[in-house]
Amino acid sequence: MAVQLTVHRATQEIGGNCIELCASNGDRIFLDVGRPLHAGNDQQDLLPATVDRSRCATAVIISHPHQDHYGLLNELSLDWPVYCGKATEQLIQMTGAITGSTLGHSFHTWASGQPFMVGSFRITPFLTDHSAFDAHMLLIEIEGKRLLYTGDFRAHGRKASLVEAFMDAPPPDLDVLLMEGTNLGSDKPCTPESALEDDFRDLFARTAGRVFVVWSAQNIDRTVTLYRACLKAGRTLVIDLYTAEVLNMLAKYGKIPQPDWKQINVVITSAFARMYRNTGRSDFVERMARNGIAARALAGTPGKWVVMLRASLMRDFVRAGIEPCADDAWSWSMWRGYLTQPDGKSISAWFTNGGTPACHIHSSGHASASDLRAFANAMRPAALVPIHGEAWDRDAEGFPPIKRILDGELLLI
Ligand SMILES: [Zn+2]
Ligand SMILES: [Zn+2]
């Protein structure tokens, strides 16, 4: 019997990863159980129909805390054990607490570089560079076969050196490389975070008023970039309660900007504060209030502030009488595709109505097409199984031998 590989979802699309490996003794593991990116917020029963739910999995391994990699955990039986990084577990449970969907599975956490066994599978996680905090590549060894699953990664973020070191000393004799290809066939910007830091500093320096920036609270690289640019430009970074909670929680994992650091303030807005109080976390709001400001403070000394923005915050700001103007600037520091979705449109309209100039500064959370090629060739796999991409069929030159499979198709290795 051979090892069986099935990519239940992600051979033809970006995200929604759901990959199964089954050993000849029946042990089976899942690599990620992600929510498809195109699924609506209230859509349920999204687990691929090809997943056999009738018997327990040996382990479900989560590469990183992005919804398109863990978002269907709530559709799995509670007796399927989950394995992930320590910070990943905390970020998943924290997001669940806010959305009212805490997971009851048993979580087991790992340390990067430390192999562990689940059933007959030997798994070694390697911390890597991605826009999500605590993202890992996974080396899987089973019955003399060796697979590397990249999860999502890039080579131009603040952890790029981890990817370079991995490429210098790749795992030997890889049978299969399961690699993401998000940026194949696209021209998404892949500039280093350090270059973005300079771009933001320049924007802050040339803007007379406030600079509003839309970015993901869990993109810690970007928070660091914005904070460093604030230090250079003499501005104060204004974050919301949720971002403060994320930073606070991750403090133990490295030197990450904290709500009580100089040139950081937490804006305490009515709706956010109410949400925290309603979920029994008044103490967190009180603690953050020590370094907090009210939204109306943003109307004074406008040249001081770099203000985080998201749609829910915008509504709070409007209630507090904050209106953007021509002296201000705004920056969409996320994937541009989100600008065409309802929240993106309403934010964009808010600034257009205020006559506020846009200066969108962003870098992709995923590797550039050339970095994907360099990485794949450095791994020297016998076969590359493409996933998490939409252009694998038209941009496949310059890669190791590609084994293209369809969702749900069984591959023996
Ligand atoms: Zn992804
Ligand atoms: Zn991701």
Side-chain angles (χ1 to χ4, degrees):
M1 278 285 283
V3 177
Q4 301 175 1
L5 166 68
T6 312
V7 180
H8 294 287
R9 185 188 285 125
T11 65
Q12 314 295 321
E13 66 193 276
I14 294 170
N17 288 22
C18 181
I19 299 155
E20 179 178 356
L21 280 166
C22 189
S24 50
N25 66 357
D27 285 353
R28 60 178 191 145
I29 59 171
F30 284 82
L31 304 173
D32 288 337
V33 278
R35 205 178 159 78
L37 284 175
H38 54 75
N41 283 344
D42 44 7
Q43 252 181 288
Q44 293 176 354
D45 296 325
L46 292 163
L47 200 66
T50 48
V51 173
D52 174 8
R53 301 191 218 195
S54 67
R55 65 188 180 97
C56 194
T58 314
V60 180
I61 320 268
I62 301 298
S63 65
H64 66 282
H66 273 161
Q67 286 275 353
D68 65 312
H69 293 258
Y70 81 83
L72 297 185
L73 275 176
N74 61 354
E75 293 192 13
L76 299 181
S77 167
L78 290 184
D79 53 8
W80 292 27
V82 178
Y83 289 71
C84 62
K86 287 189 182 68
T88 296
E89 180 193 355
Q90 287 192 281
L91 286 165
I92 288 174
Q93 294 292 22
M94 180 186 155
T95 306
I98 286 170
T99 56
S101 57
T102 323
L103 292 163
H105 298 80
S106 67
F107 276 77
H108 307 260
T109 56
W110 61 52
S112 176
Q114 306 282 313
F116 59 92
M117 298 296 294
V118 282
S120 44
F121 291 87
R122 184 178 197 262
I123 297 166
T124 315
F126 293 96
L127 188 67
T128 195
D129 187 37
H130 181 41
S131 48
F133 195 75
D134 204 38
H136 289 81
M137 294 193 183
L138 296 154
L139 178 66
I140 321 284
E141 293 166 283
I142 176 77
E143 296 173 23
K145 302 289 181 185
R146 202 173 272 139
L147 291 89
L148 181 72
Y149 171 50
T150 63
D152 288 352
F153 78 106
R154 61 177 173 177
H156 57 270
R158 294 192 177 275
K159 289 190 171 71
S161 60
L162 293 178
V163 178
E164 288 157 19
F166 197 80
M167 289 168 69
D168 286 343
D173 306 322
L174 279 180
D175 295 285
V176 171
L177 172 64
L178 276 157
M179 192 176 80
E180 71 124 314
T182 311
N183 281 339
L184 279 180
S186 93
D187 56 358
K188 278 196 263 173
C190 293
T191 40
E193 285 288 327
S194 53
L196 292 198
E197 192 177 311
D198 294 340
D199 292 346
F200 276 118
R201 180 203 56 204
D202 293 348
L203 173 65
F204 300 166
R206 68 173 182 264
T207 302
R210 300 159 293 200
V211 180
F212 293 89
V213 185
V214 187
W215 86 98
S216 160
Q218 292 198 13
N219 185 343
I220 305 302
D221 271 15
R222 193 57 44 82
T223 306
V224 171
T225 293
L226 287 159
Y227 178 61
R228 289 171 60 99
C230 278
L231 292 181
K232 287 177 175 174
R235 285 187 181 244
T236 294
L237 185 64
V238 178
I239 56 174
D240 65 357
L241 278 166
Y242 172 66
T243 309
E245 190 183 14
V246 170
L247 296 177
N248 216 228
M249 200 192 74
L250 297 178
K252 56 181 169 288
Y253 299 106
K255 198 161 179 284
I256 294 164
Q258 291 301 305
D260 59 353
W261 283 14
K262 65 171 186 176
Q263 289 174 243
I264 296 189
N265 276 141
V266 183
V267 63
I268 316 282
T269 59
S270 51
F272 261 72
R274 197 178 321 118
M275 184 188 76
Y276 274 83
R277 291 193 178 108
N278 288 347
T279 48
R281 288 176 293 165
S282 301
D283 55 329
F284 179 73
V285 179
E286 305 318 323
R287 193 151 58 85
M288 289 301 114
R290 281 176 227 147
N291 199 37
I293 55 170
R296 62 180 176 279
L298 302 173
T301 58
K304 179 179 176 183
W305 310 114
V306 171
V307 188
M308 166 172 245
L309 194 72
R310 70 178 86 238
S312 52
L313 265 176
M314 184 183 75
R315 293 189 277 274
D316 270 5
F317 287 164
V318 168
R319 271 192 290 272
I322 302 297
E323 292 293 345
C325 65
D327 278 349
D328 298 331
W330 77 287
S331 187
W332 185 264
S333 196
M334 299 173 81
W335 177 53
R336 290 262 192 141
Y338 294 137
L339 260 174
T340 62
Q341 294 176 3
D343 281 354
K345 281 183 179 168
S346 64
I347 287 174
S348 191
W350 194 49
F351 289 113
T352 304
N353 293 338
T356 310
C359 179
H360 300 326
I361 298 171
H362 182 51
S363 182
S364 175
H366 301 268
S368 67
S370 61
D371 284 343
L372 287 171
R373 286 182 170 82
F375 183 85
N377 286 311
M379 293 304 110
R380 300 173 178 273
L384 164 60
V385 174
I387 49 167
H388 203 289
E390 289 175 342
W392 278 110
D393 293 322
R394 57 177 197 274
D395 196 8
E397 288 296 308
F399 285 104
I402 284 182
K403 177 66 186 166
R404 199 77 174 96
I405 52 175
L406 297 171
D407 282 359
E409 185 183 338
L410 188 66
L411 181 68
L412 301 178
I413 52 176

